[in-house]
């Protein structure tokens, strides 16, 4: 295995704000092999608590355990990367409720009316999510429209002035400088303030809903940087769209609203306290992601299906209704505000950030003979999408190795912005595709070297926001574009979009993909009309739509949700069947070569992401072979000093501790009695819930679930809790706080069975026991995620503390 050093994560820094500050669940390689088997750091004496098995994990960066208070390490000049790697630094979320005595007592106290109140609060929160997501989308749209319009007017006036008297090089310099300056600001705030706001945010939200805690992903600061960053990216002329980041923005809004407080602003509104746990927060984030899609495309049903297909790992009927409600509210809010803004308050004609325009099925119908043509377009889209993903994969690998410093990331973003402007200017300058300006819907027509009353057709594609360029390619009448113009634009924009995705800016890939596909789809339609001597069914706008669907499907590999989104965005059910065929074909062809773009970036970040099913050839593996060892167990009544030592020990990075019977007789079996989390132990120590050894019959201080919710989600690190020497000798009874019925599996259970149980129930820890109910190991997310099906069969990923 390659010598893997520290690798840049989505958060872009060494920081990890996990609730307990640990590196991750310790996971061995198969059969306990691999370097680092002896462990590192101070070893605890085995007498106070039970150690089972032998520590065995690959630690490729031993100093990862240093505390955050120490001097940060210098970044290496080069960051080697190995794709056969799984990072241990990502924590899991606790999607399984701990049904301890406190939880059960609270649930028993809540009567039917109180449950109805909780349900009403859920609907209220979903409505608030929809309203705020719609308002954020309106803000982004209005600001982008005004700033981009100002930039294009300034550049257009400059080009018109210098066309007559010469000196167009100054116009090029002005355009490139404006782009680079705006993008520099957008990249600076992302790179230096909140790196997790880079990109579209869809891979991060997919991981969060899958059960992986991505640092800072649903913070208020992330939302602010995301919104400002995407505005600056689009205004800066990059080959990006503002629709993808709306999904991340909606998720952050949902996470914040559902908690009724902001840890960033240090404000607690004392509402919605019941929802302060990972399970509830996950459901609202699903609604936020759907509301984001709905606001972006005006597609409420598509938003629900996107959340189901790409996001949520756990689903139920009631959740579907609430998510659909949030999506509808989001679309209606955006529609209402933009309609008022555009001066037609009663005409709700702006359902999304991008409106593809209505496709008239009478003028643009399709026949049965065109079905094979659409399937062929799906094949082309799958191949081009696979090429896009492959190129972006190697580019991302290069960035991980060499462009990992924030200053270099900003310079690269400025370079791409300047190159994009330069390419656009040169192609407009060299193009002689002039079209009559009468009846044209071009916002900023550039005359350049065309005759009076004409405009440069290439400028409609480059000298505009990508959203408007897509609509122009869909609806401009036949003859609006020269085939050479479309071919050159497709080629150049393909490579620009590929280079742009992965920059340290907030940006989406939806609209660039649609624009590339619409360009080559329209070119395909023009060619078809030429070959069939102008047949009426060879309308270029129809093929632009199919090409856009094929290209987007080939890149992101979405099928069900994307079909409905495209149907809702075009307002035409007639094209549902061909769009579905195109997307299915593009996905099948693309999957033959490489993974989808989002899955690829999740893999590149070494995230322990769990897919729907275990690898198909993994039945030969059993829980005994994949489980983590050793397992740190606690006794039901434990000494405080022992608990503090376990939590403080840097060589033990467990987050869940099986609780065994307090049995003074070592000859008897210490059977499993429950499971307690690190976060729960920290709250107990913080509130000093323990008694002296001599007074074990005394009642401990009573805690309520509110005490645990008040500490959620940022539980303090163990280093911040002071325990005196006398208190170390006290005893703590874990019976009331542990989960008395943790899920367990026998050590002979097969990997697919363990995987299905773990994945379907949203577990964080699955205890492995023998036939005497004695703990022999623990299955965590990393144990399951490190097995995947490669080209040569089942392969096991290496583990690293990176």
């Amino acid at each position: 295995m390659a010598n893997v050093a520290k690798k840049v994560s989505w958060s872009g820094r060494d920081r990890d704000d996990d609730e307990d500050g640990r590196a991750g669940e310790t996971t061995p390689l198969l059969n306990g092999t691999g370097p680092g088997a002896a462990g590192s750091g101070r070893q605890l004496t085995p007498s106070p608590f039970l150690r089972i098995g032998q520590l065995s994990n690959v630690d490729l960066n031993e100093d990862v355990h240093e505390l955050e208070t120490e001097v940060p390490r210098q970044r290496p000049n080069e960051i080697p990367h190995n794709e056969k790697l799984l990072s241990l630094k990502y924590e899991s979320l606790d999607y399984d409720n701990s049904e301890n005595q406190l939880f059960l007592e609270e649930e028993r106290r809540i009567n039917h009316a109180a449950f109805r109140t909780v349900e009403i609060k859920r609907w209220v929160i979903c409505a608030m999510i929809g309203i705020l997501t719609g308002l954020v989308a309106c803000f982004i749209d209005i600001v982008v429209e005004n700033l981009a319009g100002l930039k294009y007017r300034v550049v257009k006036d400059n080009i018109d002035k210098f066309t007559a008297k010469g000196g167009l090089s100054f116009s090029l310099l002005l355009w490139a400088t404006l782009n680079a300056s705006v993008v520099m600001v957008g990249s600076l705030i992302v790179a230096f303030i909140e790196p997790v706001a880079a990109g579209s945010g869809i891979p991060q939200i997919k991981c969060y809903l899958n059960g992986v805690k991505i640092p800072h992903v649903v913070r208020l600061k992330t939302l602010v940087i995301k919104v400002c960053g995407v505005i600056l990216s689009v205004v800066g002329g990059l080959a990006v769209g503002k629709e993808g980041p709306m999904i991340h923005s909606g998720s952050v809004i949902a996470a914040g609203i559902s908690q009724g407080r902001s840890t960033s602003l240090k404000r607690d509104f004392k509402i919605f306290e019941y929802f302060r746990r990972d399970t509830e927060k996950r459901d609202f984030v699903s609604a936020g992601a759907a509301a984001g899609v709905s606001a972006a495309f005006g597609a409420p049903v598509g938003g629900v299906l996107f959340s189901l297909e790409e996001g949520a790992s756990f689903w139920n009927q009631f959740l579907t209704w609430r998510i659909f409600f949030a999506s509808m509210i989001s679309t209606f809010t955006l529609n209402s505000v933009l309609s008022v803004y555009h001066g037609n308050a009663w005409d709700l004609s702006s359902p999304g950030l991008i409106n593809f325009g209505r496709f008239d099925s009478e003028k643009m119908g399709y026949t049965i003979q065109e079905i094979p043509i659409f399937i062929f377009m799906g094949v082309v889209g799958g191949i081009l999408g696979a090429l896009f993903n492959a190129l972006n994969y190697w580019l991302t690998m290069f960035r991980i190795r060499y462009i990992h410093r924030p200053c270099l990331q900003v310079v690269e973003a400025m370079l791409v912005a300047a190159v994009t402007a330069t390419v656009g200017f040169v192609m407009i300058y060299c193009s002689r595709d002039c079209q009559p300006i009468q009846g044209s819907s071009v916002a900023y027509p550039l005359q350049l070297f065309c005759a009076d009353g004409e405009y440069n057709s290439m400028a409609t594609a480059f000298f505009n926001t990508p959203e408007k360029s897509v609509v122009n390619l869909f609806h401009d009448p036949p003859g609006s574009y020269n085939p050479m113009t479309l071919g050159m634009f497709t080629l150049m924009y393909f490579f620009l979009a590929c280079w742009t995705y992965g920059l340290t800016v907030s940006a989406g890939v939806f609209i660039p993909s649609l624009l590339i596909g619409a360009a080559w789809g329209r070119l395909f339609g023009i060619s078809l009309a030429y070959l069939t001597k102008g047949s009426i069914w060879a309308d270029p706008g129809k093929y632009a739509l199919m090409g856009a669907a094929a290209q987007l499907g080939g890149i992101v590999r979405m099928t069900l949700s994307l079909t409905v989104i495209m149907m809702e965005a075009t307002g035409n059910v007639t094209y549902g069947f061909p769009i579905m065929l195109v997307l299915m074909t593009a996905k099948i062809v693309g999957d033959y070569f490489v993974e989808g773009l989002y899955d690829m970036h999740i893999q590149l970040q070494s995230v322990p992401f769990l897919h729907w099913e275990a690898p198909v050839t993994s039945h030969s593996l059993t829980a005994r072979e994949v489980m983590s060892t050793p397992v740190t167990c606690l006794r039901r009544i434990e000494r405080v000093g022992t608990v503090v030592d376990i939590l403080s020990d840097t060589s033990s990075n467990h987050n869940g501790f099986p609780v065994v019977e307090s049995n003074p007789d070592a000859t008897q079996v210490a059977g499993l009695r429950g499971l307690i989390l690190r976060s729960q132990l920290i709250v107990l120590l913080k509130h000093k819930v323990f008694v002296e050894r001599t007074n074990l019959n005394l009642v401990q201080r009573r805690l309520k679930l509110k005490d645990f919710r008040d500490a959620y989600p940022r539980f303090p690190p163990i280093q911040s809790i002071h325990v005196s020497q006398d208190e170390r000798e006290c005893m703590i009874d874990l019976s009331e706080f542990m989960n008395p019925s943790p899920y367990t599996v026998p050590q002979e259970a097969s990997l697919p069975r363990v995987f299905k149980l773990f994945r379907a129930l949203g577990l964080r820890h699955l205890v492995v026991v023998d036939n005497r109910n004695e703990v022999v190991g623990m299955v965590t997310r990393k144990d399951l995620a490190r097995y995947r099906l490669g080209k040569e069969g089942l392969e096991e990923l290496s583990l690293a503390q990176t």
Side-chain angles (χ1 to χ4, degrees):
M1 189 182 71
N3 179 25
V4 183
K6 177 183 167 297
K7 187 170 75 64
V8 174
S9 70
W10 274 317
S11 61
R13 302 201 179 117
D14 292 344
R15 64 191 185 188
D16 186 352
D17 67 333
D18 190 74
E19 61 199 42
D20 47 41
R22 310 304 294 176
E25 294 100 337
T26 303
T27 315
L29 289 180
L30 188 60
N31 296 328
T33 59
S40 61
R42 179 173 55 84
Q43 295 293 327
L44 297 178
T45 55
S47 54
F49 57 93
L50 301 177
R51 283 278 197 173
I52 300 173
Q54 178 182 3
L55 180 63
S56 170
N57 81 297
V58 181
D59 191 352
L60 301 175
N61 197 9
E62 294 181 358
D63 56 355
V64 76
H65 299 296
E66 294 176 7
L67 300 179
E68 293 181 357
T69 55
E70 297 182 11
V71 179
R73 297 185 298 278
Q74 294 295 318
R75 293 176 180 272
N77 293 326
E78 177 183 344
I79 300 185
H81 178 68
N82 183 353
E83 64 173 341
K84 310 294 185 184
L85 186 71
L86 196 68
S87 176
L88 282 173
K89 83 178 190 65
Y90 291 107
E91 279 302 317
S92 297
L93 294 160
D94 293 302
Y95 284 166
D96 181 45
N97 289 325
S98 177
E99 294 187 345
N100 53 25
Q101 292 183 26
L102 299 182
F103 177 83
L104 295 176
E105 287 173 7
E106 182 184 80
E107 293 295 307
R108 292 190 191 104
R109 284 197 303 269
I110 299 178
N111 55 26
H112 181 69
F115 273 117
R116 292 289 298 273
T117 304
V118 168
E119 190 63 24
I120 291 172
K121 286 182 180 178
R122 287 195 177 99
W123 286 92
V124 170
I125 291 171
C126 286
M128 294 171 66
I129 291 169
I131 292 171
L132 287 177
T133 304
L135 291 176
V136 168
C138 290
F139 174 77
I140 292 174
D141 190 59
I142 292 170
V143 175
V144 165
E145 182 180 334
N146 285 279
L147 291 181
L150 176 63
K151 184 191 80 170
Y152 287 127
R153 281 193 298 272
V154 169
V155 177
K156 179 182 182 302
D157 293 343
N158 193 273
I159 291 176
D160 290 343
K161 182 174 70 173
F162 283 103
T163 302
K165 60 182 183 180
L168 277 173
S169 56
F170 181 79
S171 300
L172 167 60
L173 186 62
L174 174 66
W175 191 2
T177 303
L178 283 174
N179 275 16
S181 302
V182 173
V183 170
M184 179 186 72
V185 178
S187 184
L188 278 171
I189 60 176
V190 171
F192 287 95
I193 299 178
E194 197 54 89
V196 79
S200 66
I202 296 176
Q204 293 93 317
I205 295 302
K206 279 187 68 172
C207 292
Y208 183 89
L209 294 175
N210 190 260
V212 182
K213 173 177 269 190
I214 306 295
H216 300 203
V217 72
V218 287
R219 293 270 189 92
L220 176 62
K221 186 168 69 171
T222 303
L223 174 65
V224 174
I225 301 301
K226 194 85 180 182
V227 170
C228 297
V230 73
I231 289 172
L232 294 168
S233 299
V234 177
V235 173
L238 291 176
V240 299
K242 57 182 182 285
E243 281 69 22
M246 277 308 306
I247 296 166
H248 191 180
S249 301
S251 301
V252 180
I253 290 169
I257 292 295
S258 64
Q259 303 303 293
R261 69 176 175 187
S262 171
T263 49
S264 299
L265 299 177
K266 305 290 192 297
R267 292 292 302 275
D268 190 341
F269 299 100
K270 304 297 182 184
I271 55 174
F272 307 143
E273 290 185 2
Y274 182 81
F275 305 119
R276 291 178 186 174
R277 57 179 185 261
D278 287 339
T279 316
E280 296 285 352
K281 197 172 179 180
R282 171 199 70 205
D283 292 345
F284 290 118
V285 169
S286 299
V293 174
S294 182
F297 297 98
V301 178
V304 175
L305 293 176
F306 173 85
S307 194
L308 172 60
E309 181 182 10
E310 288 293 308
S313 303
F314 316 97
W315 203 260
N316 61 62
Q317 182 182 2
F318 298 110
L319 180 61
T320 308
W321 266 110
R322 289 199 298 272
I323 290 179
F324 183 61
F325 177 68
S327 296
M328 277 293 188
I329 294 291
S330 175
T331 299
F332 181 76
T333 302
L334 178 83
N335 207 337
S336 303
V337 175
L338 288 186
S339 296
V340 172
Y341 174 75
H342 292 305
N344 46 356
W346 305 109
D347 179 19
L348 300 178
S349 56
S350 302
L353 292 182
I354 179 171
N355 186 1
F356 291 164
R358 186 167 295 277
F359 282 76
D360 192 343
S361 55
E362 292 183 4
K363 296 180 181 178
M364 298 175 61
Y366 69 95
T367 61
I368 194 70
Q369 294 97 324
E370 292 179 90
I371 297 297
I373 299 175
F374 294 149
I375 293 175
F376 174 74
M377 293 183 74
V379 173
V380 174
I383 293 172
L384 289 178
L387 176 63
F388 184 99
N389 292 356
L391 291 174
N392 190 262
Y393 174 85
W394 293 111
L395 182 61
T396 306
M397 291 276 284
F398 178 83
R399 284 181 174 134
I400 288 173
R401 289 191 174 106
Y402 302 109
I403 313 179
H404 49 269
R405 299 179 188 277
C407 54
L408 293 177
Q409 294 168 345
V410 174
V411 170
E412 186 197 14
M414 293 174 63
L415 175 65
V416 174
V419 168
T420 303
T422 304
V423 168
F425 184 89
V426 170
M427 291 188 69
I428 293 171
Y429 183 85
C430 296
S431 174
R432 294 294 180 266
D433 184 7
C434 297
Q435 302 292 338
I437 206 166
Q438 286 90 357
S440 173
S441 59
V442 181
Y444 310 103
L446 279 180
Q447 183 179 353
L448 213 59
F449 301 116
C450 294
D452 291 340
E454 293 183 338
Y455 69 95
N456 190 302
S457 183
M458 180 69 83
T460 61
F462 269 112
F463 201 69
N464 217 333
T465 57
E467 287 84 359
K468 291 180 181 176
S469 299
V470 170
V471 177
N472 289 339
L473 286 168
F474 283 165
H475 295 290
D476 281 354
S480 299
Y481 297 91
N482 188 297
M484 180 61 71
T485 299
L486 290 174
M488 291 300 297
F489 173 78
T490 301
L491 182 65
M492 298 308 300
Y493 207 81
F494 181 91
F495 290 107
L496 285 174
C498 186
W499 189 12
T500 304
Y501 189 80
L503 290 177
T504 311
V505 294
S506 298
V509 76
F510 271 76
I511 298 303
S513 304
L514 290 173
L515 184 52
I516 295 167
W520 68 255
R522 191 176 182 96
L523 177 61
F524 186 86
I526 293 172
S527 305
L528 203 60
Y530 177 77
L531 293 174
T532 57
K533 307 301 180 185
S535 175
I536 190 171
W537 49 264
D539 187 286
K542 171 175 54 180
Y543 289 97
L545 175 65
M546 296 304 158
Q551 186 66 50
L552 183 54
I555 290 174
V556 300
R557 308 292 160 75
M558 291 158 51
T559 49
L560 176 64
S561 57
L562 197 53
T563 302
V564 177
I565 288 171
M566 297 287 283
M567 285 169 53
E568 289 185 279
T570 56
N572 195 325
V573 183
T574 307
Y575 289 117
F577 181 69
I579 288 174
M580 182 192 72
L581 277 181
V582 164
L583 289 171
M584 284 178 58
T585 308
K587 176 176 171 56
I588 293 170
V589 173
D591 283 342
Y592 180 79
F593 296 103
V594 292
E595 288 184 301
L597 189 65
Y598 299 142
D599 292 329
M600 185 178 293
H601 277 263
I602 289 173
Q603 177 185 319
L604 279 170
Q605 297 301 330
S606 303
V607 180
F609 186 88
L610 295 181
H611 294 280
W612 287 105
E613 298 287 343
V616 292
T617 59
S618 59
H619 280 85
S620 59
L621 294 172
T622 63
R624 183 194 297 111
E625 294 171 291
V626 304
M627 67 187 183
S628 302
T629 55
V631 180
T632 303
C633 295
L634 296 171
R635 295 175 298 190
R636 193 172 54 82
I637 299 177
E638 189 60 270
R639 192 172 70 91
V640 172
T642 300
V643 176
V644 173
D645 288 341
I646 291 174
L647 296 182
S648 304
D649 184 18
T650 56
S651 68
S652 169
N653 43 18
H654 294 275
N655 294 284
F657 303 92
V659 179
V660 297
E661 188 56 62
S662 305
N663 198 336
D665 187 359
T667 60
Q668 296 186 16
V669 175
L672 176 67
R673 293 294 177 265
L675 181 77
I676 193 163
L677 301 175
R678 173 183 293 274
S679 55
Q680 293 174 308
L681 291 172
I682 284 177
V683 173
L684 296 181
L685 293 175
K686 179 182 176 182
H687 289 276
K688 301 190 182 301
V689 186
F690 36 75
V691 295
E692 297 179 7
R693 245 181 215 279
T694 55
N695 298 317
L696 290 181
N697 294 326
L698 292 178
V699 179
Q700 297 181 123
R701 178 186 171 186
R702 293 285 295 176
L703 284 186
K704 296 183 179 179
L705 275 185
K706 182 180 184 303
D707 297 302
F708 294 90
R709 288 170 182 158
D710 287 342
Y712 177 86
R714 301 184 202 173
F715 296 94
I718 184 62
Q719 290 80 12
S720 67
I721 297 175
H722 175 70
V723 178
S724 67
Q725 195 60 40
D726 291 338
E727 289 173 334
R728 287 178 60 88
E729 298 303 320
C730 294
M731 304 299 289
I732 183 170
D733 189 349
L734 306 177
S735 304
E736 189 178 4
F737 311 103
M738 69 181 186
N739 182 1
S741 55
Y743 291 100
T744 63
V745 290
Q747 54 188 339
E748 292 80 19
S750 67
L751 176 59
R753 182 172 289 272
V754 173
F755 189 99
K756 188 178 296 185
L757 180 65
F758 195 96
R759 178 73 167 76
L761 297 176
L763 303 182
R764 185 178 184 182
H765 304 96
L766 183 59
V767 184
V768 182
V769 296
D770 60 12
N771 54 6
R772 299 185 300 173
N773 198 36
E774 186 176 357
V775 179
V776 295
M778 182 94 78
V779 174
T780 62
R781 171 175 293 274
K782 284 89 173 181
D783 299 312
L784 300 176
R786 66 178 209 261
Y787 295 97
R788 75 173 182 208
L789 196 61
K791 293 183 178 179
E792 299 178 359
L794 188 66
E795 59 185 20
E796 182 182 358
L797 306 187
S798 305
L799 300 164
Q801 302 277 21
T802 61

